[in-house]
Structure formats: structure tokens, C-alpha cells
């Protein structure tokens, strides 16, 4: 009796679990190709967006020599420039930014590829009116953030009430600039 | 039968107002507060949760005579988790914008008390068609509440609705605080106060954190004993 | 991953991204069990306990079992079942070997199984790409933040008991509105972590 009391529930539960898992494997089989495709499409679209002059990209792996850490960036096949994927900590988590820098040292554009910022506030960073600000020749000493509203050539106007998000995006872009300097300066 | 048989129509419409899962049964508070920052997010979550609710209610009702009582809860959780994962994959593949909008709250549907609560208090004891209707009704009630809260927070908090700018600061400065976490608590509290007032008018009890049939209810009351935190 | 990095993760989880007041994870116990100080402390200790153990178990499972085998989509179902099993297991062990601890925490354990906070933190660790140590610190911070919010709120609710509240707002509404005020006070911590570590 005791064995039956334990055996039947256990078997039922196991069967249910197996059936559910089978369904999941099935659904995964149906959807995974499309999900992967969407991801690649989104990435390619983002790269084109930040460096419109480029046609296609080749992936390059750069060994920083620190702790075996590697940086992956994208070089335009037609020599138009480079695209970097960097990130920085924002208000709600990591903010990932793609930056396109031409071979003349000008930021052609940036786009935010992932973020968890506050809707209606930090998410204003997604507007082109904000990201367009980053289109400039690379300034010495990197890009700075100002809240005063009157930005100099090397300054970005912070989003009102969302300084943390603004700083996160700016830090990510500055990091991209640093990598660019390393590649170009290192005679790559 | 000790209790009156509810008509199918009653079962379906119960979740809209009378037994609204959020404002009356006080279930699913976590996602309600989290995704009601934008009306669009509210609808996205509502639709996803409804899909899971209908699926799990149907499955659990179908299996209600086979699932032994001892492993009731783990079995429910497995089935619900299965549906949530399926919806997750479908959303990622065919509506990625919703996946971005909901973030972590999409997989968290699996611990949404509404779903576990309805499984326990309805689907486990009723036939398939009523269970499906119950799931659909509760889901619609959930979605409507999310839409209401999301709209209030979005319109007053940032002057837009579904992304369309209604007020860019020309009429009145948008009140940012409503979109931030405190705003969520605040609007939710006021909505429940309103619902209580209406319920009082009809001679009903005010909403309390009664866990509305959540299977954890008996643990809740053991935890708070005479405190009465969970009825 | 330096000590500074870990401390900043800890502070962020406790203060600036408080799990209850900022991320809305664990609202049910927050509203239901925060009326008295001792139940608030008991519940939050149980939450810290479960969060840490859950992370310690789910992190290796995802990193060494699910991801290498392309089974990421099984994360939700595996995590919740693991957490549920874990809590059962812990309850049994406590009952047998640490009776006093069981008497203090045991009753809250089943409540935490289907709780947004525990499942939430285990998934969040991967959303943020934390390694094992960072994940453990994040969970600890999440749990401590939970306790902080619960204890503070228990104090607020004790005061509410002796206040005169309009009929419609009595019960849940005034609790939620008080919670919003506590949440506003936590907004003040914005920028703290960045400011300390830059």
C-alpha cells in the first residue's frame, strides 16, 4: 500500500514532466531557426545603421593581452570604417551600444541594442534626437556629458532626469573610441 | 450539489469585474506593478498571460482526474511552466518587440498567482469548457486592468498613449513619478480604493490580500496566524 | 571582477535596484507578511536563505548543463522545478536537524517557492551575465534589500494601525500608498553606486 502511494504519484508526475518536455523540444525545433534569424537580421541592421557607408562586415578578434580577454569588433569590407559593440551599466541593467566610426575618425552614428531603462525616461535615449548627438569627429579626451543645455562640440546634452542612462551610453561610446584608438594607433 | 452551478456565461464574465483577478482577488500584483508603465506593455503582458492561463486551465482540467492529490502542486507548476516556455518561444520568434518590452516578467508569468490560483480553485475541479472560459475571462479581466493602469500611468506620467504623444508638456508638465516604481504602488492603491468603494456600494467585501484561492493560502495563514495578513 | 565591483553589485541590489521597491519582485509576501516586525524578519531571513541556495544550484545548472547543450529555452521550467524541489528538501532537512531554525523559518518556506523574488533573481543573474561569485553577491544583496524593505515597511504599518484612515482607503489601498512613499525615499539612492565607485 505504501509503495503504491508513492509509486503512482511519482510515475504520474514523471510522465507529465516528460510530455511537457517533449512539447517544449518540439516547439523549440519549430521556432529556433526563426529566432536565430531574427537575431542576425537585427544585428546586421544595427551595424548598417551606425555605419551606412559600409557594405558588409568582417568580424575581427582583438586580443587585449589582459587576462586573455578578447574584444570582437567589425571591420567594413569596403574600408568605410569600424563598428564596435560596447556596454555600460545603466539604471536598470546593462546598456549595450553599437558605435560606427569611419576610417577618418568620425563617429558616423550610434544605436542602442539592448537596455532595461525606465520607459518614458531613460528610454528617451532610444530617440534619434538623442543618439544623433553622438555624430561628431572624435574629440580629444573623449565625449563629456553636460546638463546645462548648451553643449560644446565635445559634449552631449543629458536627458532631463535620466543622467544615469545618458552616462551609461556615453561611457559605452567612449569605450568604443578607446578601442578604435588602439586599433588605429597600433598600426592594425 | 452543495454549491449552485454557475452558468457558462457567469463563469466567463466573473473575471471582468466581480472577481477581477487584480482589483478584487489581488492576484498577480508583481507583473501589474512592473509592466503598467506603458499601455502597450500592459496589453502585451495581458495577452501572453491569457494565452498561458487558457492553455494551463484546459490542460489541468483535462488531467484533473489523473493527477494524484499529493503531487498536485508540482504537476500544476510543470504544466504551467511548459505553457509559459512555449509562449516565450512563440513571442521571441513572432513578436520580438513584446519580448523586449516585458523582459524578465515574461518568464515570471510562471509564478503569477493568477494562473496557479485558478488552476487550484477552478480548473482542478471543473470540466474543460468552463475551465477554458474561466481562464479566458480572468485573462481578459487581467488585461483590461493592466490596460487601465498602464494608460493612466503613461498618459499622466509621460504624456503619451501607446507611444502617441498626447501632451508634450504644453497642457501640463507630465508627472514622471507615475512611471517610476512609487507611481506604480500609488496608482494601484487608488484603483483598489475605487474598486472597494464600488464594491461597498453593492454590499460586497473590500479586496484583501486573500491570495484568492492561491494554493499557498493555507501556508500564508499558518505564517501569519492571528495576524490576518492572508485570509 | 574586483572587490569594488562586487561591493557595487551588492549596494545596487540592496539600495538602488531594491528588489521590492524598484523591481517589484516579491510583492505578495511584502504586502501580506509585513504587518508585524517578527514575521517580517522571519520571512525575509527565509527569503535570503532560499535565494542564496537557489542561485548556488541554478547557476551551475544553467552554465554547465543548459547552455552548452543549447537547452536555454528550458531555463524557466528547470529553474522553477529546481527551486520547488530545493525548498522541499531544505524544509525536510531543517525539520530533522535544525529544529529551532525550522520553527523560526519553516512556515515561510513553501510560500517562497512560487515567489517572483527567488525565480526572479536566478534569471536576473543570467540577464546580467554575472559569473558565480557575482551571482551569489547579487542574490545576497537582493535578499538583504528585501529584508530592509520589509523591516522598514513593518515599522510604517505599525504606525498605520493607530492612524485614522478614510473608509475606502482602509486595508490594502493605504498599504499600497504607504509603500509608494517608502519607494520614493529609496529613489533617493539613485546615483549612489555610480557616485561611490567613479
Amino acid at each position: 500500500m505504501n509503495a503504491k502511494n508513492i509509486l503512482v504519484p511519482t510515475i504520474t508526475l514523471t510522465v507529465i514532466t516528460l510530455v511537457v518536455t517533449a512539447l517544449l523540444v518540439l516547439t523549440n525545433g519549430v521556432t529556433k531557426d526563426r529566432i536565430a534569424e531574427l537575431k542576425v537580421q537585427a544585428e546586421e541592421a544595427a551595424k548598417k545603421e551606425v555605419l551606412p557607408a559600409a557594405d558588409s562586415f568582417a568580424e575581427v578578434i582583438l586580443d587585449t593581452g589582459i587576462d586573455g580577454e578578447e574584444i570582437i569588433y567589425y571591420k567594413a569590407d569596403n574600408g568605410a570604417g569600424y563598428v564596435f559593440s560596447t556596454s555600460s551599466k545603466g539604471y536598470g541593467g546593462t546598456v549595450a551600444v553599437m558605435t560606427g566610426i569611419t576610417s577618418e575618425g568620425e563617429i558616423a552614428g550610434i544605436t542602442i541594442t539592448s537596455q532595461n531603462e525606465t520607459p518614458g525616461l531613460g528610454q528617451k535615449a532610444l530617440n534619434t534626437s538623442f543618439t544623433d548627438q553622438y555624430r561628431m569627429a572624435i574629440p580629444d579626451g573623449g565625449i563629456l556629458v553636460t546638463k546645462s543645455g548648451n553643449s560644446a562640440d565635445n559634449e552631449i546634452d543629458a536627458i532631463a532626469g535620466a543622467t544615469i542612462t545618458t552616462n551609461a551610453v556615453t561611457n559605452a561610446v567612449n569605450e568604443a573610441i578607446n578601442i578604435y584608438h588602439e586599433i588605429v594607433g597600433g598600426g592594425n | 450539489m452543495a454549491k449552485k452551478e454557475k452558468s457558462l456565461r457567469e463563469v466567463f464574465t466573473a473575471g471582468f469585474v466581480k472577481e477581477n483577478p487584480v482589483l478584487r482577488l489581488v492576484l498577480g500584483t508583481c507583473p501589474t506593478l512592473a509592466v503598467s508603465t506603458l499601455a502597450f506593455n500592459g496589453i502585451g503582458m495581458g495577452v501572453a498571460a491569457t494565452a498561458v492561463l487558457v492553455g494551463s486551465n484546459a490542460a489541468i482540467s483535462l488531467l484533473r482526474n489523473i493527477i494524484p492529490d499529493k503531487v498536485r502542486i508540482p504537476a500544476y507548476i510543470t504544466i504551467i511552466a511548459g505553457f509559459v516556455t512555449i509562449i516565450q518561444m512563440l513571442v521571441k520568434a513572432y513578436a520580438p518587440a513584446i519580448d523586449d518590452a516585458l523582459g524578465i516578467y515574461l518568464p515570471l508569468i510562471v509564478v503569477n498567482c493568477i494562473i496557479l490560483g485558478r488552476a487550484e480553485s477552478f480548473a482542478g475541479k471543473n470540466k474543460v469548457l468552463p475551465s477554458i472560459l474561466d481562464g479566458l475571462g480572468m485573462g481578459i479581466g487581467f488585461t483590461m486592468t493592466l490596460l487601465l493602469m498602464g494608460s493612466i500611468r503613461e498618459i499622466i506620467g509621460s504624456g503619451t498613449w501607446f507611444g502617441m504623444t498626447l501632451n508634450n508638456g504644453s497642457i501640463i508638465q507630465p508627472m514622471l513619478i507615475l512611471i517610476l516604481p512609487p507611481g506604480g504602488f500609488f496608482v494601484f492603491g487608488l484603483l483598489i480604493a475605487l474598486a472597494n468603494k464600488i464594491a461597498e456600494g453593492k454590499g460586497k467585501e473590500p479586496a484583501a490580500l486573500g491570495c484568492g484561492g492561491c494554493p499557498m493560502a493555507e501556508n500564508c495563514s499558518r505564517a501569519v496566524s492571528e495576524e490576518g495578513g492572508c485570509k | 571582477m574586483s572587490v569594488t565591483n562586487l561591493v557595487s553589485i551588492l549596494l545596487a541590489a540592496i539600495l538602488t535596484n531594491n528588489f521590492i521597491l524598484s523591481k517589484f519582485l516579491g510583492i505578495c509576501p511584502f504586502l501580506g507578511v509585513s504587518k508585524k516586525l517578527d514575521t517580517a524578519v522571519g520571512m525575509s531571513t527565509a527569503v535570503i536563505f532560499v535565494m542564496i541556495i537557489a542561485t548556488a544550484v541554478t547557476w551551475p545548472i544553467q552554465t554547465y548543463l543548459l547552455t552548452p547543450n543549447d537547452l536555454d529555452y528550458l531555463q524557466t521550467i528547470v529553474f522553477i522545478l529546481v527551486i520547488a524541489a530545493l525548498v522541499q528538501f531544505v524544509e525536510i532537512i531543517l525539520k530533522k536537524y535544525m529544529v529551532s531554525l525550522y520553527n523560526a523559518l519553516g512556515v515561510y518556506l513553501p510560500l517562497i517557492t512560487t515567489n517572483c523574488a527567488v525565480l526572479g533573481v536566478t534569471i536576473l543573474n543570467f540577464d546580467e551575465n554575472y559569473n558565480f561569485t557575482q551571482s551569489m553577491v547579487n542574490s545576497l544583496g537582493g535578499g538583504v534589500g528585501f529584508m530592509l524593505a520589509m523591516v522598514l515597511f513593518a515599522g510604517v504599518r505599525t504606525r498605520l494601525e493607530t492612524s485614522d484612515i478614510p473608509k475606502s482607503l482602509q486595508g490594502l489601498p493605504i498599504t499600497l500608498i504607504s509603500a509608494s512613499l517608502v519607494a520614493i525615499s529609496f529613489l533617493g539612492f539613485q546615483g549612489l553606486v555610480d557616485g561611490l565607485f567613479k
Side-chain angles (χ1 to χ4, degrees), chain A residues 29-91:
Chain A
V30 168
T31 54
K32 75 168 178 212
D33 286 334
R34 180 160 164 90
I35 295 179
E37 201 185 295
L38 281 176
K39 192 161 177 239
V40 169
Q41 267 177 18
E43 270 174 20
E44 289 305 307
K47 287 183 217 155
K48 270 296 259 167
E49 194 187 319
V50 300
L51 196 62
D55 50 355
S56 53
F57 296 90
E59 195 180 279
V60 180
I61 302 180
L62 176 68
D63 195 345
T64 57
I66 313 169
D67 273 342
E69 223 178 87
E70 292 172 345
I71 300 179
I72 303 177
Y73 66 92
Y74 304 94
K75 188 172 173 176
D77 287 327
N78 61 359
Y82 311 87
V83 170
F84 305 97
S85 208
T86 51
S87 61
S88 183
K89 193 127 195 198
Y91 179 63

Side-chain angles (χ1 to χ4, degrees), chain C residues 72-160:
Chain C
D72 282 315
Y73 62 95
L74 288 182
Q75 184 191 57
T76 312
I77 187 171
V78 169
F79 277 19
I80 188 70
L81 288 178
V82 165
I83 294 174
L86 205 57
V87 172
Q88 276 289 84
F89 188 61
V90 165
E91 221 188 316
I92 296 177
I93 303 253
L94 281 187
K95 209 167 178 177
K96 260 200 155 179
Y97 299 111
M98 297 203 239
V99 182
S100 52
L101 201 57
Y102 177 73
N103 286 332
L105 301 184
V107 73
Y108 302 111
L109 289 179
L111 217 54
I112 307 178
T113 318
T114 53
N115 188 299
C116 294
V118 179
L119 183 62
V121 76
T122 53
I123 300 182
L124 273 176
N125 287 332
F126 287 99
D127 276 357
E128 295 290 326
N129 282 321
Y130 286 151
N131 63 29
F132 189 66
T133 320
Q134 289 170 324
S135 300
M136 294 299 280
V137 170
N138 191 32
S139 301
L140 177 65
V144 171
F146 188 86
M147 177 176 264
L148 184 63
M150 287 279 271
V151 169
L152 286 176
F153 203 52
V156 169
R157 288 187 80 171
T158 323
R159 291 296 226 117
L160 277 182

Side-chain angles (χ1 to χ4, degrees), chain A:
Chain A
M1 264 313 250
N2 222 354
K4 191 177 175 210
N5 267 346
I6 303 182
L7 208 57
V8 171
T10 316
I11 294 187
T12 325
L13 195 55
T14 315
V15 170
I16 293 182
T17 314
L18 289 177
V19 170
V20 169
T21 314
L23 281 173
L24 291 184
V25 174
L26 195 72
T27 318
N28 183 51
V30 168
T31 54
K32 75 168 178 212
D33 286 334
R34 180 160 164 90
I35 295 179
E37 201 185 295
L38 281 176
K39 192 161 177 239
V40 169
Q41 267 177 18
E43 270 174 20
E44 289 305 307
K47 287 183 217 155
K48 270 296 259 167
E49 194 187 319
V50 300
L51 196 62
D55 50 355
S56 53
F57 296 90
E59 195 180 279
V60 180
I61 302 180
L62 176 68
D63 195 345
T64 57
I66 313 169
D67 273 342
E69 223 178 87
E70 292 172 345
I71 300 179
I72 303 177
Y73 66 92
Y74 304 94
K75 188 172 173 176
D77 287 327
N78 61 359
Y82 311 87
V83 170
F84 305 97
S85 208
T86 51
S87 61
S88 183
K89 193 127 195 198
Y91 179 63
T94 316
V95 178
V97 177
M98 247 189 203
T99 312
I101 303 183
T102 65
S103 27
E104 283 91 46
E106 228 187 85
I107 300 179
I110 71 161
T111 186
I112 299 180
T113 49
S114 105
Q115 50 80 30
N116 224 333
E117 307 301 274
T118 322
L121 198 53
Q123 279 188 4
K124 285 197 182 145
L126 298 170
N127 296 342
T128 43
S129 52
F130 175 71
T131 52
D132 279 351
Q133 288 185 87
Y134 288 87
R135 290 190 185 157
M136 57 171 77
I138 296 180
D140 294 325
I143 304 180
L144 304 168
V145 174
T146 175
K147 293 196 234 186
S148 63
N150 271 328
S151 48
D153 277 341
N154 65 337
E155 286 178 337
I156 295 291
D157 259 326
I159 303 169
T163 330
I164 298 184
T165 311
T166 315
N167 283 335
V169 177
T170 313
N171 288 339
V173 176
N174 279 334
E175 199 185 312
I177 294 177
N178 287 341
I179 305 177
Y180 172 76
H181 281 300
E182 216 179 287
I183 308 170
V184 171
N188 198 356

